[in-house]
Amino acid sequence: MLIPCPHCGLRPSEEFVPKGLAEAPRPALGGRAKPDGPAWQNYLHLRDNVADHSHEYFHHALGCRSWIVVHRHTLTHEVTGATMAADFWKADKPAKGAKDAKSPTAETAEDGQ
Amino acid sequence: MTASLPQPMRLREGGLINRNRPLTFTFDRRVYQGYEGDSLASALLASGVKLFGRSFKYHRPRGVFSAGPEEPSALVEIDQGKAERDPNHRAPMVELYDGLETFSQNHIGPLGLDLMEANDLISRFLPAGFYYKTFFFGGLQAWYRFYEPIIRRAAGLGRPPMEADPHHYDKIYTFADTLVVGGGIAGLTTALSLARAGQSVLVCDERDRVGGAALWQGERFDGQSGAAYGDHLVAEIEAAGGRVLPRTTVFGVYDGGIYGALERCQDHLAKADRRVHTARMKYHRIQADRVVYATGAIERSVGFMGNDRPGVMLASAGHAYLGRYGVRVGQQPTIFTTNDGGYAVAAALAATGADVTLLDARADSRLEAEGVRVLRGVHATKAHGRMGLHRVDYGGAQSGSLTTDALLVAGGWNPAVHLTSHTNDRRQSKPVYDADLRAFLPPELVDSEAASGSVTGALGTADCLASAAAAAAKFGGAALDTPAVDEAVAVSAPKELWAVPGAGQAAFLDLQNDATVKDVGLAAQEGFRSVEHMKRYTTLGMATDQGKTSNVNGLALLAAATGREISAVGTTTFRPPYTPVPMGAFAGHHRQRDYEPFRYSPVYDWAEANGATFVEAGLWMRPSWYTQAGEADWLESAVRETRATRDQLGITDVSTLGKIDIQGPDAAEFLNRLYTNGWKSLPVGKARYGLMLREDGFVFDDGTTSRLAECHFYMTTTTAKAAAVMAHMEFVHQSAWPDLQVAFASVTDQWGGLALAGPKSRDCLAALFPELDVSNDGMPFMGVIETTWKGHTARLFRISFSGELAYEVAVPADVFDAFWREAMAAGAQWDITPYGLEALNILRIEKGHVTGGELDGRVSMDDVGLRKMVSTKKDFVGKAMSRRTAFSDPDRVKMIGLVATEADERIIGGGIVFDSKDGPFDHTTMLGYVTSVAAFSPLKDRSIALAFIKNAADYHGRTLYVVSHVHNRAIIEVTAESPHFYDPKNEKVTG
């Protein structure tokens, strides 16, 4: 597999360490989200495991040390792009399959209080 | 040289062998001769050998069945000896060299008299699924004690080498614009066209010479033989800048244009000619934008009784042995064909003077072959001859029996679609059945793929060359002149005939696994309708050949038995590798000592010269203890080092600690978010102990961080977590708080560090830095001074892990060895004692400091008594989740200290803690577990430990019991107390 690092260009996947799906941003610092509420649970634990386009964190550990979000189709392994993690939650997310319903703004919102 | 040995089946002329270079080799210790250019199979066939080995399940005598990589039967072991033994070589793929030693496999006793052959006599009672059904009798105990050992002895192909592989292997990255898999005439033609168009082209061919089927089929290209024309194409490709790798099998296709290939560099050479310290094989990781599959086609057989007898082989194999090696596989051969292809083989054999009969399964064929007796509408029904074929029965339009010594079966061609299907997940399609060609063709290819030659289903040289031109055109190849070909081979799609009528138990499909026509019927009858289930139930298509000659017949018969179309049944999933690849090739040089890099402290050499015994800590080699004269064991050394440190002065190497340099206006804010405690108020020139949580609230790592300047911090981590902490910091910074103006870099390798510990450590530090005020006022506990030592930056920290008055000093790594030696000299007046990890461990357990043994990813701040480290005024990583209710469950285990009651008993690491010595010692009564053990604590004059137990606070002062279920189950009596055994008020470190 080849990963298009936004900083280094197309590099072999052996240079990267995966972390998991980037499905929700970290709840805001100093926020009042409850540990068992959806904001923290979505960030830490709940993953949809889609058979579709997905967004996954990868660390270019043997390269530029950037954390990036790789856009990959989980059925075909097709990699359609990658975004710097720093930019991922800021910008409008690139098109992805059934996952578009969950918007970043909704995810950042504090749950319940 | 040995007198020339008889080769009764060798013709006087013809073939691509050098009759002037005879080569001597052995098979089962008997001496034979062949010629340069021979394969092991062709040389043995030339010498009249028919019996090559025994089959896997029934131990039936088997000969050679093919002339290529698809060989299911003729598997041999090369060499003998514990390390050199190399099993399961396919005889047609073994190139002959002088002195080659080979052995048959899979028999007990001589090959001709295998004791396991009884399996064949009772084969009717050993159908598919027999093992699953039968060995339940007697229950699980009977399986382990009786059935499994017997089956294990009977099962398995070949014997593995019993010692480490002595060969060298290399891994290399190889790049090309276009990879062409297969160096037959079609593949080479496409490659030349692309190379002429300016592409960097790489051709890989698995055989020792290019040319494919043109090496033996006999057609001529512009008047040249196939071999000469192939060589001509190679020269042209190389002239155009392309590369051709022979003996290189592309075994797998992976995502992103990555292809795995194995190049066999040395196995074909005589031992004396092999280069030492040079790779036996190379594993190429090929990166290519485009691929051309020119993988050819593999002939298939037909199911009939005895179709596995030695002497029965594929028609293409008989043709190849004749055309390429000058070996006539029979004086009186019979061809059994379902298509026109069999006539060319028959004619070629008849031209050598052989007495040839051809059985054509088609009644309506009008084809003739010169000098060949043709029976039409006739099929073979049974082959006779246990150790070598001597007669074949036929039936159909007429029936009868023929005396024969070779039976060549032409059942049609299966395009070698294996590689084209490795990325089926990507394209969401599988090989497609073509009902007219009666063959599976490659799935729809994507833009970066093309196919050339008979893999496309093309029959005959002209069609193959047309497909080669089409493949080249797809990738923008240059136009080439098509060579004039005199078509020597008549071709047609075969009549549909997977097994002859009445074929049953001894009609084989998979010769390697002894799966028969009857087994497939049985699988269907028992409900295994999916081709994947049928494969696993019958084992058809498993093992080293992966059913290259049997899969299609098997699934076609399954389709018939279940009343479905072949296209509806489909193929099993093809996965890499195409042919077996030695594990050594994947490992390359990454084995044993070179498996991972080692990291060495700058004072490794000093430590080694001073009696250190090292332990691997991650990649680091750390001194475990320093042996002095007269010391009997590690514990004696470690206890001496501990006492010296507590009483006088110890020195230890802390260079392996993770070190991270952090700078930027937001550095303090960043640390505030990383650590549980506050950092903004830390003054310049001070260090602070910090605790990090994971985002899920568990303790992650600890260490000290010092403020060197307003916007400059120096962090240390544990040795084990250095890389993880760095990645964690990068993650939270980049993914959550990219706006923070902070930058950090690992400086672990840039700084060497030592700790001076003990009552004399201040004196020693003063001796090293005489101009500095290191008094308790000048350098209080947690004080940090940045200064110079001989012109080099030196950082002094008053921190302690041992519980003693202690200092750590860091200097640049390249002067650390000199600094260490000077510290040893300066401390000599106080008998400075270097101590290793074992003493460090005793010291910190006595002090109740935690390390990786305690911070194992399952503990909370409360569990290790570090709740006081939490700032309530700010948020930080892990804070929210650390408030989960489960973390305050009173049943959670918390840290406690244990002291052995008896001075001569050792607490065992990993032991389980109980509060009664009456048992039962199991999960119903366990209180907790031991995490760290000091085999001997000078402080307590006996063994002590850190442990985690439930309701820890209630057990202080009480007697408990430690049992190690994995050690000796002895019951060790201990007393529980605070884990801070030594100086609980911290008077030593602050004084």
Side-chain angles (χ1 to χ4, degrees):
Chain A
M1 190 166 114
L2 296 174
I3 292 179
C5 175
H7 182 267
C8 307
L10 207 57
R11 304 297 306 168
S13 60
E14 291 91 323
E15 294 181 359
F16 296 80
V17 178
K19 185 178 173 76
L21 290 164
E23 294 210 344
R26 188 183 191 281
L29 200 73
R32 297 164 64 200
K34 289 187 278 188
D36 54 355
W40 278 109
Q41 293 303 328
N42 283 335
Y43 175 57
L44 284 174
H45 302 304
L46 300 178
R47 298 291 179 262
D48 285 353
N49 193 24
V50 294
D52 204 331
H53 292 281
S54 72
H55 297 138
E56 297 165 306
Y57 283 120
F58 276 82
H59 188 208
H60 199 185
L62 299 178
C64 63
R65 304 287 299 180
S66 291
W67 278 95
I68 63 175
V69 176
V70 175
H71 316 305
R72 181 179 72 94
H73 198 290
T74 58
L75 284 184
T76 64
H77 301 169
E78 185 189 14
V79 176
T80 52
T83 315
M84 285 289 188
D87 301 328
F88 183 69
W89 298 109
K90 286 187 201 162
D92 287 341
K93 282 205 262 181
K96 67 173 181 177
K99 292 293 298 158
D100 268 348
K102 225 194 233 176
S103 81
T105 34
E107 283 166 319
T108 346
E110 299 290 314
D111 47 273
Q113 34 190 326
Chain B
M1 210 179 87
T2 327
S4 93
L5 294 166
Q7 297 187 39
M9 308 305 278
R10 183 84 70 181
L11 299 176
R12 282 184 189 285
E13 56 189 30
L16 301 168
I17 48 167
N18 182 358
R19 287 178 176 75
N20 296 321
R21 278 271 347 247
L23 303 173
T24 304
F25 69 101
T26 66
F27 178 59
D28 282 343
R29 300 205 160 78
R30 204 172 143 186
V31 180
Y32 297 92
Q33 266 180 1
Y35 294 120
E36 186 180 71
D38 256 328
S39 70
L40 173 65
S42 66
L44 284 173
L45 286 170
S47 305
V49 173
K50 284 197 165 170
L51 185 59
F52 278 64
R54 291 277 176 165
S55 71
F56 176 56
K57 185 174 170 187
Y58 302 137
H59 290 256
R60 284 170 70 97
R62 290 282 163 80
V64 65
F65 189 67
S66 75
E70 67 270 30
E71 178 61 35
S73 291
L75 301 180
V76 298
E77 191 173 287
I78 293 187
D79 294 338
Q80 280 191 337
K82 282 181 177 176
E84 291 281 338
R85 187 161 69 208
D86 206 6
N88 294 332
H89 279 270
R90 295 150 295 168
M93 296 298 283
V94 175
E95 293 175 48
L96 204 64
Y97 57 79
D98 216 28
L100 173 68
E101 291 177 41
T102 62
F103 300 86
S104 58
Q105 297 185 165
N106 220 33
H107 51 88
I108 298 172
L111 178 58
L113 187 73
D114 178 6
L115 298 175
M116 294 299 285
E117 197 176 349
N119 273 8
D120 190 31
L121 301 177
I122 57 164
S123 68
R124 67 174 66 235
F125 305 114
L126 293 171
F130 172 74
Y131 296 123
Y132 306 130
K133 290 168 183 164
T134 308
F135 296 119
F136 288 110
F137 185 77
L140 209 54
Q141 283 302 315
W143 169 259
Y144 285 123
R145 286 195 186 151
F146 181 64
Y147 299 124
E148 196 191 1
I150 292 178
I151 293 169
R152 280 212 181 278
R153 184 161 159 75
L157 285 164
R159 299 177 302 161
M162 299 308 285
E163 286 178 4
D165 189 338
H167 301 102
H168 287 269
Y169 298 89
D170 267 341
K171 292 192 272 195
I172 57 177
Y173 283 74
T174 303
F175 298 86
D177 291 336
T178 306
L179 168 67
V180 179
V181 186
I185 298 300
L188 292 174
T189 300
T190 306
L192 177 58
S193 172
L194 297 175
R196 290 246 174 101
Q199 297 182 20
S200 107
V201 174
L202 174 68
V203 182
C204 296
D205 189 86
E206 65 188 327
R207 303 306 293 261
D208 52 312
R209 63 182 300 172
V210 299
L215 293 177
W216 42 264
Q217 280 184 163
E219 70 270 57
R220 300 187 81 78
F221 301 80
D222 285 341
Q224 298 180 75
S225 71
Y229 187 65
D231 292 343
H232 157 76
L233 289 173
V234 169
E236 292 290 311
I237 291 166
E238 289 176 346
R243 286 172 295 162
V244 180
L245 286 178
R247 301 187 180 93
T248 303
T249 305
V250 176
F251 59 76
V253 179
Y254 305 91
D255 291 320
I258 294 166
Y259 305 84
L262 181 74
E263 181 183 0
R264 294 172 297 277
C265 313
Q266 305 241 47
D267 276 7
H268 60 289
L269 300 172
K271 294 234 165 113
D273 297 336
R274 290 183 191 173
R275 290 151 302 201
V276 292
H277 305 305
T278 302
R280 175 196 184 201
M281 298 180 184
K282 289 179 192 163
Y283 162 42
H284 292 261
R285 183 191 187 281
I286 299 170
Q287 180 76 58
D289 290 342
R290 292 172 292 275
V291 63
V292 177
Y293 302 111
T295 47
I298 296 170
E299 200 168 30
R300 63 187 180 228
S301 182
V302 175
F304 59 89
M305 301 281 276
N307 61 352
D308 64 321
R309 292 300 188 197
V312 181
M313 66 177 72
L314 297 171
S316 57
H319 205 170
Y321 289 118
L322 179 67
R324 182 168 175 192
Y325 302 106
V327 175
R328 189 167 61 192
V329 294
Q331 315 281 4
Q332 208 177 348
T334 303
I335 319 295
F336 170 32
T337 189
T338 64
N339 61 83
D340 290 355
Y343 286 81
V345 190
L349 282 165
T352 68
D355 174 12
V356 185
T357 306
L358 187 144
L359 311 177
D360 191 333
R362 304 165 301 174
D364 53 354
S365 166
R366 292 288 164 265
L367 215 55
E368 294 288 348
E370 197 178 330
V372 176
R373 183 166 56 256
V374 179
L375 304 178
R376 299 185 202 278
V378 162
H379 52 256
T381 54
K382 185 168 186 179
H384 300 272
R386 213 168 58 84
M387 295 295 166
L389 182 75
H390 58 76
R391 192 160 57 83
V392 60
D393 300 343
Y394 58 89
Q398 49 181 306
S399 55
S401 194
L402 285 168
T403 299
T404 190
D405 56 352
L407 177 55
L408 309 183
V409 186
W413 291 90
N414 295 324
V417 298
H418 309 72
L419 294 181
T420 69
S421 340
H422 281 178
T423 50
N424 277 344
D425 288 344
R426 186 169 73 204
R427 63 166 66 92
Q428 304 274 290
S429 67
K430 286 187 127 194
V432 187
Y433 187 69
D434 185 308
D436 295 329
L437 288 171
R438 298 194 176 85
F440 279 91
L441 303 183
E444 196 177 328
L445 299 177
V446 298
D447 289 348
S448 60
E449 298 173 314
S452 172
S454 54
V455 69
T456 64
L459 295 164
T461 309
D463 281 359
C464 284
L465 287 172
S467 74
K474 180 173 180 179
F475 293 156
L480 299 178
D481 293 334
T482 308
V485 179
D486 65 325
E487 189 80 51
V489 185
V491 289
S492 73
K495 171 191 164 94
E496 181 154 358
L497 185 66
W498 311 105
V500 303
Q505 180 58 21
F508 286 85
L509 296 171
D510 184 334
L511 271 66
Q512 188 163 100
N513 284 295
D514 283 347
T516 65
V517 171
K518 188 179 165 190
D519 288 333
V520 173
L522 186 66
Q525 188 187 320
E526 299 195 350
F528 295 93
R529 291 171 58 87
S530 154
V531 67
E532 300 284 1
H533 292 162
M534 183 274 281
K535 171 177 175 175
R536 277 132 190 104
Y537 190 61
T538 62
T539 70
L540 187 148
M542 290 190 173
T544 66
D545 72 331
Q546 287 287 299
K548 289 184 177 60
T549 56
S550 61
N551 277 340
V552 176
N553 292 52
L555 66 91
L557 288 169
L558 181 69
T562 55
R564 290 177 293 170
E565 297 292 327
I566 291 171
S567 57
V569 170
T571 61
T572 52
T573 307
F574 296 104
R575 295 189 182 88
Y578 174 64
T579 50
V581 180
M583 292 301 293
F586 288 117
H589 284 289
H590 294 264
R591 45 188 270 184
Q592 297 173 346
R593 249 193 92 75
D594 298 327
Y595 177 67
E596 284 183 316
F598 281 99
R599 297 177 80 180
Y600 297 102
S601 157
V603 290
Y604 177 86
D605 291 343
W606 183 93
E608 194 177 34
N610 284 272
T613 297
F614 292 90
V615 62
E616 288 179 38
L619 300 178
W620 288 102
M621 294 296 282
R622 299 186 68 178
S624 217
W625 64 87
Y626 296 83
T627 305
Q628 286 196 351
E631 286 175 349
D633 64 4
W634 67 273
L635 187 57
E636 199 177 333
S637 304
V639 168
R640 169 185 52 74
E641 293 165 15
T642 305
R643 286 202 166 108
T645 304
R646 291 257 185 261
D647 296 344
Q648 285 278 103
L649 177 61
I651 180 171
T652 194
D653 181 12
V654 294
S655 302
T656 62
L657 291 183
K659 307 174 206 78
I660 300 171
D661 196 85
I662 305 167
Q663 300 190 39
D666 291 330
E669 171 63 24
F670 184 57
L671 289 173
N672 231 24
R673 297 181 188 186
L674 277 178
Y675 281 123
T676 62
N677 44 342
W679 290 81
K680 288 191 162 173
S681 62
L682 182 69
V684 172
K686 277 289 213 179
R688 184 165 282 174
Y689 174 73
L691 185 70
M692 274 187 215
L693 302 188
R694 301 193 315 220
E695 199 71 271
D696 63 4
F698 288 96
V699 175
F700 178 37
D701 197 45
D702 66 348
T704 56
T705 293
S706 308
R707 192 165 205 167
L708 301 176
E710 184 62 25
C711 300
H712 186 187
F713 292 81
Y714 175 86
M715 173 189 280
T716 62
T717 73
T718 60
T719 301
K721 289 281 172 61
V725 168
M726 185 70 190
H728 169 72
M729 288 166 64
E730 287 164 335
F731 180 72
V732 292
H733 180 224
Q734 295 176 30
S735 74
W737 310 308
D739 299 335
L740 284 186
Q741 292 191 56
V742 60
F744 39 92
S746 167
V747 292
T748 301
D749 290 325
Q750 279 67 34
W751 293 88
L754 59 79
L756 296 168
K760 301 297 180 193
S761 58
R762 181 177 290 143
D763 297 336
C764 185
L765 189 71
L768 279 165
F769 296 93
E771 70 284 8
L772 281 185
D773 175 10
V774 294
S775 69
N776 205 26
D777 294 333
M779 193 178 187
F781 184 53
M782 287 296 186
V784 176
I785 296 174
E786 193 166 64
T787 180
T788 58
W789 177 78
K790 294 190 175 172
H792 304 284
T793 306
R795 291 172 180 169
L796 282 53
F797 311 89
R798 184 163 166 202
I799 53 180
S800 174
F801 191 54
S802 56
E804 294 301 326
L805 173 67
Y807 300 84
E808 286 185 18
V809 185
V811 298
D814 51 351
V815 295
F816 182 65
D817 178 68
F819 180 69
W820 174 280
R821 288 169 198 268
E822 184 149 313
M824 288 302 298
Q829 56 185 304
W830 303 286
D831 293 330
I832 189 168
T833 301
Y835 62 97
L837 268 187
E838 291 297 344
L840 187 71
N841 210 34
I842 296 173
L843 291 163
R844 69 97 189 166
I845 290 172
E846 288 181 343
K847 182 66 184 166
H849 278 157
V850 294
T851 62
E854 286 70 43
L855 306 183
D856 64 356
R858 297 180 296 172
V859 302
S860 72
M861 297 175 289
D862 283 324
D863 299 342
V864 286
L866 292 172
R867 170 58 70 178
K868 61 180 185 297
M869 296 288 301
V870 178
S871 164
T872 53
K873 295 179 190 147
K874 56 143 194 172
D875 198 1
F876 53 84
V877 172
K879 184 173 191 179
M881 296 306 281
S882 73
R883 300 190 313 238
R884 279 186 283 178
T885 49
F887 279 173
S888 49
D889 185 337
D891 264 359
R892 282 192 71 80
V893 293
K894 291 191 169 61
M895 194 165 82
I896 197 165
L898 303 177
V899 181
T901 306
E902 301 295 332
D904 58 350
E905 281 192 331
R906 266 187 213 179
I907 307 173
I908 301 299
I912 306 295
V913 184
F914 300 93
D915 63 359
S916 158
K917 62 177 168 186
D918 300 329
F921 298 110
D922 63 18
H923 63 283
T924 61
T925 55
M926 79 176 269
L927 277 186
Y929 47 88
V930 174
T931 55
S932 294
V933 172
F936 181 82
S937 157
L939 174 72
K940 295 284 188 183
D941 203 26
R942 64 201 62 229
S943 176
I944 64 171
L946 300 178
F948 282 75
I949 63 171
K950 292 178 201 168
N951 304 310
D954 300 342
Y955 282 100
H956 280 223
R958 287 177 57 179
T959 299
L960 297 173
Y961 304 90
V962 177
V963 177
S964 172
H965 293 70
V966 294
H967 187 58
N968 60 3
R969 291 177 164 267
I971 303 163
I972 312 289
E973 189 181 297
V974 297
T975 307
E977 60 176 78
S978 158
H980 304 293
F981 302 101
Y982 185 73
D983 186 27
K985 291 183 181 159
N986 266 353
E987 286 159 351
K988 301 262 184 192
V989 296
T990 56

